[in-house]
Each structure stands twice: as C-alpha cells, then as structure tokens.
C-alpha cells in the first residue's frame, strides 16, 4: 500500500469516526449515505425493492429533528395507516430503541406525531385524495418526505408539492425528498423528478445490491451473492431479467412498457 493510499484510508476512518451515530448506521451503504448528506433542498430517491430506502428516509428525518430543535418534519404516505406501518412500525421505532433516539409516539386530534426531547417533531400522515391536501397548509416544515410517490394520483402529487409543501418550507429554508419505485407507466410528475425532465432536483438511485442488510460480516463475499440470489429468484418468477416488472420493482429502473397501457 502506498503512503498516499494509506493516508487517504486514515482520513476516511477519521472522518467516519466524527460522524454522528445515526450516520454511522448507514455508512456501509455509500448510496444511502449520499442521499442523506446531500444538501440539495429538493432531492429524490428511486429505488428497487429491499434497497433500504425506508432506513435512509428515517435517518434523514431524524437528522432533521436533531439539527433543528423545535421544528416539524413530515412523512407523507398514500394513507396514514400505511405511512405509520412503513416508517414508524417498520423502521423508526426499532431504531429509536436500539440507538437510544428517545422518540415517543403521540396522537393529537387523530394525527400521529413522533416527538423528540428537543421540541422537534415528526408528523406521519397520508394524502390519498386531492381533498386531503389542504391539511398540510398553514404550518412551517423543515424536512418533508413524500414516499411511494409513484402511487400518488397525478392530481394529488403535483399540487401537494408545488402549491402546499413548497411554501411551507420557506420559513425554515426547508428540504423536500420524493422517493419510491418506478411506476408501471413511465410518465408523470415523479418520473420527471427522477429522470431530470423536471429541473431543480438532485437524483439518487440504488437497489438491493447496495443494501448493507444483505452483507454478512462473517464473510464479505456474501454481500453480492445473497442479493444476487434474491434477484435471480425474482427474475425467474417475473419472466426474466429483461421483464419490465423485474426491472421496475427490483432494479428501480424506469421501463417503457406498452403492455401497461393496454386495457381489456
């Protein structure tokens, strides 16, 4: 090993040691980490299944709570029930217990609010219909995550972002993240955000191969092999590696699929 390489390795270790504990949680996944530390005010994450997207979002929202005491973060899913199940039940409550995040769940007027001791909070909400958009008005937010964005109706997602959330981020110079898996039809607002057709968004992409959960510390070679086994099984069930559903769901890639436009 050259002196220059050794120096860079030591610098990387030193930098990693200085990271907060919540960032060290994802440091084995460079693409997850890149999404979290990206300072762009508007960013997107396009991911395949089992990519670890929810973990990255949970860490990003928690970081917002830590960095800006007294502010409100928001996680928006298609429905409040699925949003709670995905973020809080699926990831955040477990991380809170394991890492000592000291978060507690409360219910205010039927709304799910996660509170931090420093006065910041996280609102877990749903927005399935256009008439639900108004409930996000009148407040100031620091970080907002709209997850599974491919599932939102077009007449909900665009006005939710541009007419309601954008103005609500102005007070705190806040940040917005759109995330999800490619939809069956390669058009629409989320497609434009993640492909560069809509300017002003920083785009990120990763899949199961980048998920450290599929890395076995006892054998470094298991990382790729285990994920590859999952992908091979999925491809076999879905019609091969070139099948549109496989490419969308597992590799997180937009695919032009004429079959998706055909109705019986």
């Amino acid at each position: 090993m050259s002196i220059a390489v050794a120096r860079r390795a030591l610098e990387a270790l030193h930098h990693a040691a200085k990271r907060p504990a919540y960032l060290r949680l994802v440091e084995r996944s460079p693409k997850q980490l890149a999404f979290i530390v990206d300072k762009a005010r508007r960013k997107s994450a396009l991911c395949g299944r089992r990519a670890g997207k929810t973990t990255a979002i949970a860490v990003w929202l928690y970081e917002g709570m830590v960095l800006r005491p007294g502010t409100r973060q928001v996680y928006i899913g298609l429905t409040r029930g699925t949003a709670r199940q995905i973020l809080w039940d699926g990831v955040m409550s477990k991380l809170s217990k394991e890492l000592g995040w000291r978060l507690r769940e409360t219910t205010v007027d039927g709304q799910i609010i996660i509170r931090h001791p420093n006065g910041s909070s996280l609102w877990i909400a749903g927005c399935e219909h256009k008439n639900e958009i108004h409930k996000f008005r009148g407040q100031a937010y620091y970080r907002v995550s709209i997850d599974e964005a491919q599932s939102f109706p077009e007449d909900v997602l665009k006005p939710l972002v541009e007419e309601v959330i954008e103005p609500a981020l102005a007070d705190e110079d806040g940040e917005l993240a759109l995330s999800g898996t490619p939809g069956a039809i390669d058009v629409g607002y989320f497609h434009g955000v993640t492909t560069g057709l809509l300017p002003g968004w920083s785009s990120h992409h990763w899949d199961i191969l980048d998920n450290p959960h599929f890395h076995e510390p006892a054998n470094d070679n298991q990382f790729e092999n285990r994920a590859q086994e999952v992908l091979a099984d999925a491809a076999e069930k879905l019609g091969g590696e070139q099948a549109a559903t496989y490419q969308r769901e597992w590799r997180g890639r937009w695919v032009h699929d004429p079959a998706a436009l055909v109705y019986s």
Side-chain angles (χ1 to χ4, degrees), residues 66-203:
V66 172
L67 294 180
R68 294 286 184 91
T71 61
R72 167 72 50 99
Q73 333 302 315
V74 190
Y75 176 82
I76 305 174
L78 195 60
T79 69
R80 180 175 58 188
T82 57
R84 182 187 190 277
Q85 184 179 10
I86 292 171
L87 184 71
W88 180 248
D89 294 343
V91 175
M92 213 164 190
S93 64
K94 298 175 183 178
L95 294 180
S96 182
K97 293 175 182 177
E98 294 173 3
L99 302 178
W101 283 1
R102 297 188 298 161
L103 302 178
R104 61 186 179 90
E105 180 187 5
T106 62
T107 302
V108 180
D109 295 330
Q111 301 300 322
I112 302 168
I113 307 295
I114 310 301
R115 300 194 181 278
H116 190 282
N118 69 7
S120 60
S121 62
L122 168 62
W123 178 16
I124 298 179
C127 190
E128 187 175 9
H129 304 292
K130 194 171 182 179
N131 59 8
E132 294 183 275
I133 294 175
H134 70 89
K135 67 186 178 186
F136 299 100
R137 296 180 183 272
Q139 299 189 58
Y141 310 127
Y142 175 48
R143 284 185 175 174
V144 176
S145 166
I146 302 177
D147 195 18
E148 303 302 339
Q150 79 283 355
S151 298
F152 283 71
E154 282 297 300
D155 66 347
V156 172
L157 185 59
K158 188 175 188 292
L160 174 63
V161 170
E162 297 184 353
E163 299 175 20
V164 178
I165 298 301
E166 289 276 5
L169 294 171
D171 291 31
E172 297 291 340
D173 194 24
E175 302 170 5
L176 171 63
L178 262 62
S179 55
T181 300
I185 301 175
D186 56 339
V187 295
Y189 194 81
F190 185 56
H191 176 264
V193 164
T194 55
T195 57
L197 294 176
L198 289 177
W201 292 81
S202 176
S203 299

Side-chain angles (χ1 to χ4, degrees), residues 48-60:
R49 302 291 295 274
R50 314 313 305 158
K53 168 174 62 68
T54 306
T55 298
I57 293 170
V59 172
W60 182 69

Side-chain angles (χ1 to χ4, degrees), residues 233-245:
D233 183 62
E236 182 179 358
K237 292 177 179 177
L238 295 173
E241 293 186 0
Q242 300 307 313
T245 302

